[in-house]
């Protein structure tokens, strides 16, 4: 999948390529395409662990936001696709205030397929609705890997490291 897009895969599972500055937009499109396709292929292998982390995050958010938390929420991206988010926070009027994507970690590393999948999904949503609050909650991992994941995600989502005291920096809703 990665090689078909003219990209490379590191031993740690990171997709990368080198390009001239003028070629970066096309490279980014190929990167997101490879990321999403790779995440789809690898996603089935981690379903149980991701679900467990989603439950932990959901429990914490329900403690803070109560009945405003919704599971398995869908929004339409700029691509026209229905995007599934494990969690959403509703505003007082019932509209969607924030979308939350969880990213599990394994052996001290964020699950890279989830990182790339989230980056693509959040970018699609951002292009459809730039005002929608978007959060990615990452399970703790080693600091170097977290920094790399934050770099990938930072253009499309607010990245938060999970803790038992997690609260989202929600804008007034």
């Amino acid at each position: 999948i990665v090689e078909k897009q003219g990209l490379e895969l590191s031993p740690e599972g990171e997709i990368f390529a080198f390009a001239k500055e003028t070629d970066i937009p096309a490279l980014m499109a190929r990167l997101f395409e490879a990321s999403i396709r790779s995440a789809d292929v690898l996603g089935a292998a981690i379903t149980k662990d991701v679900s467990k982390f989603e439950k932990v995050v959901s429990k914490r958010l329900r403690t803070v936001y109560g009945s405003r938390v919704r599971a398995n929420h869908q929004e339409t991206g700029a691509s026209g696709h229905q995007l599934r988010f494990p969690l959403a926070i509703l505003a007082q009027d019932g509209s969607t205030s924030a979308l939350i994507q969880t990213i599990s970690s394994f052996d001290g590393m964020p699950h890279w397929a989830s990182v790339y999948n989230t980056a693509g999904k959040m970018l699609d949503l951002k292009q459809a609705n730039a005002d929608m609050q978007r959060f990615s909650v990452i399970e703790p991992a080693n600091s170097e890997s977290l920094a790399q994941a934050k770099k990938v995600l930072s253009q499309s989502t607010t990245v938060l490291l999970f803790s038992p005291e997690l609260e989202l920096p929600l804008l007034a809703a």
Side-chain angles (χ1 to χ4, degrees):
I1 294 170
V2 174
E3 291 175 353
K4 285 182 181 179
Q5 294 292 336
L7 306 167
E8 298 180 52
L9 185 66
S10 77
E12 292 80 25
E14 300 164 326
I15 299 172
F16 68 96
F18 299 97
K20 296 177 189 173
E21 189 172 341
T22 56
D23 296 334
I24 289 177
L27 176 67
M28 292 301 294
R30 292 193 335 259
L31 177 105
F32 283 124
E33 178 72 20
S35 300
I36 291 168
R37 288 178 185 250
S38 297
D40 287 344
V41 169
L42 297 172
I46 61 154
T47 302
K48 290 182 182 177
D49 290 327
V50 170
S51 294
K52 181 179 176 184
F53 183 56
E54 284 177 14
K55 288 178 185 177
V56 170
V57 173
S58 177
K59 182 177 179 181
R60 174 58 192 157
L61 294 177
R62 288 179 193 285
T63 299
V64 177
Y65 303 104
S67 63
R68 293 175 55 199
V69 177
R70 293 290 184 268
N72 295 317
H73 188 80
Q74 289 192 1
E75 290 286 332
T76 303
S79 66
H81 291 103
Q82 289 295 308
L83 306 172
R84 181 200 161 274
F85 294 88
L87 298 163
I89 306 291
L90 301 182
Q92 298 299 336
D93 66 3
S95 64
T96 305
S97 176
L99 296 169
I100 299 100
Q101 182 67 48
T102 57
I103 299 172
S104 297
S105 293
F106 302 95
D107 294 327
M109 304 268 293
H111 188 269
W112 282 100
S114 295
V115 171
Y116 294 130
N117 187 349
T118 298
K121 183 168 32 173
M122 292 294 195
L123 182 61
D124 192 3
L125 181 66
K126 180 180 179 180
Q127 291 175 345
N129 184 351
D131 295 330
M132 175 69 64
Q133 295 180 87
R134 301 168 309 279
F135 297 97
S136 295
V137 179
I138 301 181
E139 190 172 21
N142 75 53
S143 59
E144 182 179 345
S145 293
L146 283 173
Q148 293 167 338
K150 286 179 180 180
K151 191 178 291 186
V152 170
L153 295 164
S154 66
Q155 296 299 311
S156 59
T157 180
T158 301
V159 181
L160 303 170
L161 183 63
F162 179 78
S163 76
E165 297 82 32
L166 177 71
E167 289 191 35
L168 303 177
L170 295 175
L171 301 175

